[in-house]
Structures are given as C-alpha cells and as structure tokens.
Amino acid sequence: MKVGALKEIKSGEARVSLTPDSAAQLQKLGHECFVQSGAGVAAGFNDATYEGAGVTVVADAQALVDAVDIVIKVREPEEAEVTRLRAGQTLISFFWPAQNEAMLEAAKDTGATVIAMDMVPRISRAQKMDALSSMANIAGYRAVIEAGNNFGRFFTGQVTAAGKIPPARVLIVGAGVAGLAAIGTSTSLGAITMAFDVRPEVSEQIESMGAEFVFLEFDEPAQDGAATGGYAAPSSPEFREKQLAKFRELAPTTDIVITTALIPGRPAPKLWTEDMVKMMKPGSVIIDLAAEKGGNCDLTVMDERVVTENGVIIVGYTDFPSRMATQSSTLYATNIRHMLTDLTPEKDGVVNHNMEDDVIRGATVTHAGEITFPPPPPKVAAIAAKPKEKVKELTPEEKRANEVAAFKAQTKQQVTLIAVAAVLLLAVGLVAPASFMQHFIVFVLSVFIGFQVIWNVAHSLHTPLMAVTNAISSIVILGALIQIGSSSLLITVLAAAGIFMASINIFGGFLVTRRMLAMFQKS
C-alpha cells in the first residue's frame, strides 16, 4: 500500500505524521511512503531528509491524496480535506467524532475508512498506539517549561550571599498522563510540588515522584477510572464543594497552578474560580491545559496569555505539543506506525482491516460507507484496581483478647516443637556415642540461635544484614580451614565445600551491598 502524510493546514500547527525514521519502519512492512512537500519543515524534517529515507515528496495535497491508499495526518481534517477522499481509501488522524458529527457524515459519504487516533481504546495492548497519552505527556512537560518562562523566580530554593530565595510552590490539578509528566518535571526543577486528583489510588504514584498528594477529608467512594478508559469520573456536587474549599485554602500560598482535568467529549470542569485567582500573589502563573474545551479556570482565554488586575498570569495555549514539534512528531509518527503494523499483520504491504480486533474496531469511526461510531465496549476490559475492603475497627478489649490468643497459640506451638526435638534428641542419644552427642548438641544449638537471629529481622533490613552474614561466613571459613587438614577424605571434602560456599556468600554480599548503595548515589 501507498501511505502519504499531508501537510497540516491549521495555523500554528508544526507537527507532522510521518518522520524519516517511521518511514523506514513502514517500508519494512511493505508500504511505499509519500509526503507533501514542506510537511515536516516546522518539525525539523526537510524534503531532502525525507528523500534520503526513500520517501517520495509530492508537490501538493490533491496530488498526494490521488497517489496514495492511506492518508495520515495529525489534526482532525477540515471539510476540504475530507472531500478529497475516495471510496476504499483510509484516513488515519485525530478526528474527535463525538464533536464532529458533520465531518463524520461527510467522511461516510465519501466511502472512505476513517481511523481516529483519539478513539484508540485504553487497553494494555493498545498503549503503543495511544496518541492521546503521547501528546499529553509532552503537554505536561511543556506546561512546566511555559510556567517557568512566565514565572519571575527560580523553581528551586537557594541561599546566596545576596539573600535567601524560597522555592516555588507548584500545584498540579489532575494526575493523568499530563499531570504526572508535569509532576516529574516540576520536582526535578526543585519546586515544592503538590498534586490533586479525584482518584485517591494515584496518591502512591504522586508521592513516589517526590510530590505531596493533596487529600480531602471526604467519604465519597473512590472513582474507578481504570474501568472507564483511564479517566476520572465526574464528582458529586458535595465532593466538588469540598474540593473547591481546599483549593481556596491553597491559593494564597501557591505560585504556579497547572490544571489538566479534562475528559474527551465533555466540557472542562471549572476547578480554579475567579475568587481563587484574586487570592493568588502577583506574579503567580496558571497554565490551563484544558483551555481548548473551555478551561479549568474561569478566566482562561483560549490561545491567549492573560494578565489579571492583581498580576496573575493565565496561559491558555492549546498548542503545547506543537511547541515541541520534533519530539511530538516523533512520538505521534510512532503511534501511527504501530497502528499500521496492526493493520498489516503479514508485513506484506496489504492492509487487513479486521473489525473483530478490539483496537482496530474501537478506533474506526467510518467503514464501507457506514458510520461505525460509537464502537462497542472492548472484549478485554481495562484492569481496574480492586477496591480495598474496609477493615472493622477493633475495640481495645478486642485487640487485647486477640493478642492474648495469638500469644497462647505461639507458646503452644513452641512447646510442641521443643518436646518433639527433645524426644528425637533422646532417641539419637540412645544409639550414638558420647563424643558425637557433644558435637551434635552444639550444632543444634548453633542452628537454633542462627535461625532466631536471621528469622526475626525485618525483610527490609536483610541488605544491611550482609555485614552480619559475612561475619558468620568468616567463622565458617576459619572452622573449615582447621578441618581441611584432617586425615579423613570426607571431612576434607566437606571443609573445602564449606570454604567455597562461604566465600561466595562473602563476595556476593559485598557486590550486592555495593550495587544497592550505588542506587542512592547521584552520578
């Protein structure tokens, strides 16, 4: 098949859906690649680079569409682009079918197949094609960079001869892909980072990245976002009021706010109200990643930078991925390439549009002259976190009774084991010589003491315990060295084996400890 990448016609869009690297991979699948002249210039890929990768450069959009079987692009198509399509042709791009009903009808009338990259189901197998996550990752990173560009101070705190500089306080609302990318960037720049999400289960992810999770004292059941495509479900009015109250509490001390709360197909929820903006200090910055759908902030203006009367800067740009066009194009072109890999299972350049495949069916919005949106639920549902069962609170009397019962059970078990050991020891003593019993009793006591020493140490302390095990191994080696000169061949072999195994334990212990310590050292 012939695959062609169109030049984006939306003003300011710098991304391209085909890169020289992705073209090389598509050619291995048996496809022939085309690109419209100038399509990749803004992303750093000129026509000569494409030609060097074996891509045919076509002069204009109409000529490219006429020449190829599969058209790929980034932004949702405009009417002029849709009308160029023909029956049997395939378009792969962002499409937003729920918001573009007229465009959906127009695509159906052409008889072309449309695969919407924004409709790729959020299941494990489809992660490599998840263009929404790829672009959200870049948007989250770029949001922090834009915030730093507009913020008048350092992110990290400093103590200099000229005075003390406090660290910036950053609040990130929403811990999806964009939010987590923003958290990682903010903490790496040294800011005091806080993050909020309606799903309390993401608190561990947030804290593991060095940020503080903003908890709400509210008993609303946890949102099962994973089972609904990975997005948080809308909150109840009571939860929303509690949430806004918490934000009002944080607003006066927060320097930078980055809002990422958005569910595709729905208006952006209003989370940062006008009164919160008025509470913020002059020079504070709000980056609203939901500006394209109305914004999370009341005062956001799409595609504009606004400065309020009290000096707060509100950035409502909608082209954050396009501001990093080279990286965005590379990731998006990889998503497209993975989609075409699934469409070309035999790697022979022949597309097999399998509507039984969860991923292909989920992303297909028109096919064979029919609208196939919305798709049925995928056969493989997203794996949701199992809700934690509530543990009944015990009274002090119940706790005490449980402790006494556990102590009695443990004591009974120990007494039984000692009794059994005593009987076995007595039975051995009836037939063994006195010299053997003397050494045997010392051996049994050593094993018992060693077991108690090792077994009662918490698992998290086993690595520091290497020092103790090395000392024990050293004692083993000394004992084996004394016995290795014995006249008995069996004793000599056992002593040599003891030296060998104890040496492995010592050297292995040092190596493992060294590697563990290296994990906590900055390069």
Side-chain angles (χ1 to χ4, degrees), residues 171-192:
L171 173 64
I172 296 164
V173 182
V177 176
L180 291 174
I183 291 169
T185 309
S186 176
T187 55
S188 66
L189 289 174
I192 297 175

Side-chain angles (χ1 to χ4, degrees), residues 316-495:
Y317 301 150
T318 60
D319 60 346
F320 286 108
S322 189
R323 288 170 181 258
M324 298 181 67
T326 303
Q327 184 67 75
S328 299
S329 298
T330 300
L331 293 181
Y332 182 75
T334 301
N335 296 141
I336 292 281
R337 189 251 298 175
H338 283 304
M339 175 62 76
L340 285 168
T341 300
D342 273 25
L343 287 167
T344 320
E346 302 299 327
K347 298 183 180 181
D348 56 357
V350 178
V351 168
N352 177 19
H353 199 101
N354 181 13
M355 293 294 276
E356 297 298 319
D357 183 288
D358 277 343
V359 179
I360 295 173
R361 174 65 187 89
T364 303
V365 295
T366 69
H367 182 62
E370 295 181 0
I371 293 177
T372 58
F373 174 82
K379 303 182 188 73
V380 181
I383 300 174
K386 185 178 179 181
K388 296 181 179 179
E389 296 180 2
K390 289 186 178 181
V391 180
K392 180 184 175 183
E393 287 286 339
L394 298 178
T395 63
E397 293 78 11
E398 290 174 328
K399 289 181 181 178
R400 178 62 181 168
N402 288 346
E403 291 172 358
V404 171
F407 177 76
K408 288 181 178 179
Q410 185 179 9
T411 303
K412 183 178 179 181
Q413 183 182 17
Q414 290 177 345
V415 170
T416 302
L417 290 173
I418 291 173
V420 171
V423 171
L424 292 174
L425 194 62
L426 180 61
V428 173
L430 292 175
V431 296
S435 60
F436 172 79
M437 288 303 300
Q438 185 179 7
H439 291 294
F440 183 68
I441 291 172
V442 172
F443 172 73
V444 170
L445 291 175
S446 300
V447 170
F448 176 75
I449 293 170
F451 176 80
Q452 291 296 325
V453 168
I454 302 300
W455 187 260
N456 289 323
V457 175
H459 293 292
S460 59
L461 298 178
H462 278 317
T463 299
L465 195 65
M466 287 295 179
V468 178
T469 58
N470 286 343
I472 295 172
S473 297
S474 300
I475 295 171
V476 172
I477 288 178
L478 289 175
L481 286 172
I482 294 172
Q483 296 296 329
I484 201 167
S486 174
S487 57
S488 171
L489 177 62
L490 178 61
I491 293 176
T492 302
V493 171
L494 291 175

Side-chain angles (χ1 to χ4, degrees), residues 152-165:
R153 298 205 319 266
F154 292 132
F155 269 63
T156 185
Q158 293 187 8
V159 178
T160 69
K164 181 179 179 182
I165 302 171

